[in-house]
Amino acid sequence: MTRLTIAKAINEGLRRSLADDPKTLLMGEDIGSLGGVYRVTEGLKAEFGADRVVDTPLAESGIIGTAIGLALRGYRPICEIQFDGFVFPGFNQITTQLAKIHARSAGQLKTGVVIRIPYGGGIGSIEHHSESPEALFAHTAGLRIITPSNPHDAYWMTQQAVQCPDPVIIFEPKRRYWLKGEVNTESPAGSPFEAQILREGLDATVLAYGPLVPVALAAAAAAEQDGRSLEVIDLRSLSPIDFETITGSVQKTGRLLIAHEAPTFGGLGGEIAARISERAFYSLKSPVIRIGGFHMPYPIAKVEEQYLPDIDRILEALDRAMAY
């Protein structure tokens, strides 16, 4: 066991991936000498060289397009998008090329590209630096999408993404980069495409992922003081979604609250709510309730705390669910 921040855990996961396979390489803006904006790749260029840790031009479409070509030639490129809001120049390459080449070639071609995207708010930044665009990518078949919420998952999910034959997007919760936790470097975190129950409960299920998992756990602790028992699930994989684990939990608790930073309108919570309403209709004691961002551009830093879901908003949703 070793105690690491999420950022350091990702760094160690990347280091191990680079060491294990000489055809693995990192690509991104300022990731080499600078070590990235958040210093997540710090020290890797010095250890593996500029041919394996490549500082690219500020051209996200070029980064992704080049990575696709490298993958087709047998390399394992890992692309870093500097901020979530910067991914959109590369959106076309991701959704029309990367996600579809395997199906377009009838399974003959594989594009094992990993795209790392720091996402979410809570860092007091400017426009285009605090987006949560995960639903836009989850809507596109052919992409696997995962998001760690703790250092142990960050360490292992980074390596598991590199080993996956399919393209994988890792959404990294940037405001949790400095969250510390225990990492067992000998014991993997299980499949990255399965949800995990972090806390058992009886009265309601709270489903969260990425940056909101600590908030959901804190809300469950607060609810316990009022005599309410909340089950907390870390979704972990946004595509595919582990509906079996969610369904089993809801069949036990009878209520489901879904929390994510992205706007609730068109967000992943809506898809999950619809599926659970189909799968566990006769177990539900109340409608599925979503807690998320508002349907508006991400606000200025001065008021972002009013935008982001917090403990109070989860507990208020719990009150509504329990009132039915």
Side-chain angles (χ1 to χ4, degrees):
M1 283 283 189
T2 184
R3 190 167 178 81
L4 301 173
T5 64
I6 286 181
K8 185 61 176 176
I10 295 169
N11 180 281
E12 291 298 326
L14 293 172
R15 174 176 284 105
R16 187 162 174 177
S17 296
L18 288 165
D20 287 347
D21 184 355
K23 286 200 168 183
T24 298
L25 68 151
L26 309 185
M27 307 167 57
E29 300 160 7
D30 300 320
I31 68 167
S33 300
L34 182 66
V37 172
Y38 294 100
R39 306 299 187 265
V40 174
T41 55
E42 191 170 39
L44 298 180
K45 179 182 177 181
E47 185 172 347
F48 295 98
D51 291 338
R52 303 275 309 280
V53 182
V54 183
D55 279 314
T56 67
L58 274 68
E60 285 76 16
S61 181
I63 294 171
I64 304 302
T66 302
I68 293 171
L70 286 165
L72 292 173
R73 297 293 293 177
Y75 290 88
R76 302 304 298 263
I78 306 169
C79 305
E80 177 181 303
I81 302 299
Q82 199 170 71
F83 284 95
D84 35 42
F86 297 175
V87 72
F88 297 109
F91 187 81
N92 181 44
Q93 290 281 7
I94 295 170
T95 57
T96 66
Q97 303 298 335
L98 181 62
K100 295 180 171 59
I101 288 175
H102 185 72
R104 186 186 302 149
S105 65
Q108 297 183 62
L109 299 177
K110 294 182 178 180
T111 47
V113 176
V114 174
I115 304 173
R116 297 177 41 244
I117 306 177
Y119 81 121
I123 62 168
S125 196
I126 57 175
E127 188 179 23
H128 306 310
H129 290 67
S130 300
E131 309 294 322
S132 294
E134 59 269 20
L136 300 177
F137 295 96
H139 185 71
T140 302
L143 300 172
R144 291 181 181 266
I145 304 171
I146 56 179
T147 179
S149 67
N150 60 76
H152 184 72
D153 271 359
Y155 175 77
W156 285 107
M157 290 168 78
T158 298
Q159 297 172 71
Q160 291 165 327
V162 176
Q163 295 160 7
C164 182
D166 301 319
V168 180
I169 297 176
I170 309 176
F171 279 102
E172 300 171 359
K174 68 170 86 76
R175 68 164 156 148
R176 305 298 182 194
Y177 270 147
W178 300 276
L179 178 70
K180 287 187 176 182
E182 297 294 330
V183 177
N184 186 338
T185 57
E186 303 300 324
S187 178
S191 170
F193 307 115
E194 295 178 356
Q196 289 184 348
I197 297 175
L198 302 183
R199 179 182 176 124
E200 299 278 351
L202 297 173
D203 294 328
T205 299
V206 180
L207 177 69
Y209 57 82
L212 282 194
V213 171
V215 179
L217 287 169
E224 187 176 32
Q225 302 301 313
D226 294 329
R228 290 174 173 173
S229 173
L230 297 189
E231 184 146 299
V232 178
I233 298 179
D234 181 354
L235 186 58
R236 301 176 78 242
S237 177
L238 311 185
S239 182
I241 290 175
D242 179 5
F243 286 108
E244 294 300 321
T245 296
I246 305 168
T247 302
S249 176
V250 172
Q251 286 173 338
K252 178 177 68 172
T253 66
R255 301 175 180 89
L256 176 61
L257 312 177
I258 305 169
H260 53 60
E261 283 194 14
T264 55
F265 186 88
L268 281 180
E271 174 65 26
I272 297 169
R275 293 288 187 103
I276 295 303
S277 294
E278 293 174 356
R279 286 168 168 251
F281 181 78
Y282 290 106
S283 298
L284 286 168
K285 301 174 183 177
S286 72
V288 178
I289 298 177
R290 294 167 293 154
I291 309 105
F294 304 112
H295 192 47
M296 58 177 287
Y298 195 88
I300 60 173
K302 187 184 296 184
V303 295
E304 70 175 341
E305 291 304 319
Q306 281 70 54
Y307 175 88
L308 294 170
D310 59 11
I311 296 173
D312 288 340
R313 285 174 62 187
I314 292 176
L315 294 178
E316 185 275 334
L318 176 62
D319 288 341
R320 283 190 282 137
M322 298 294 290
Y324 277 91

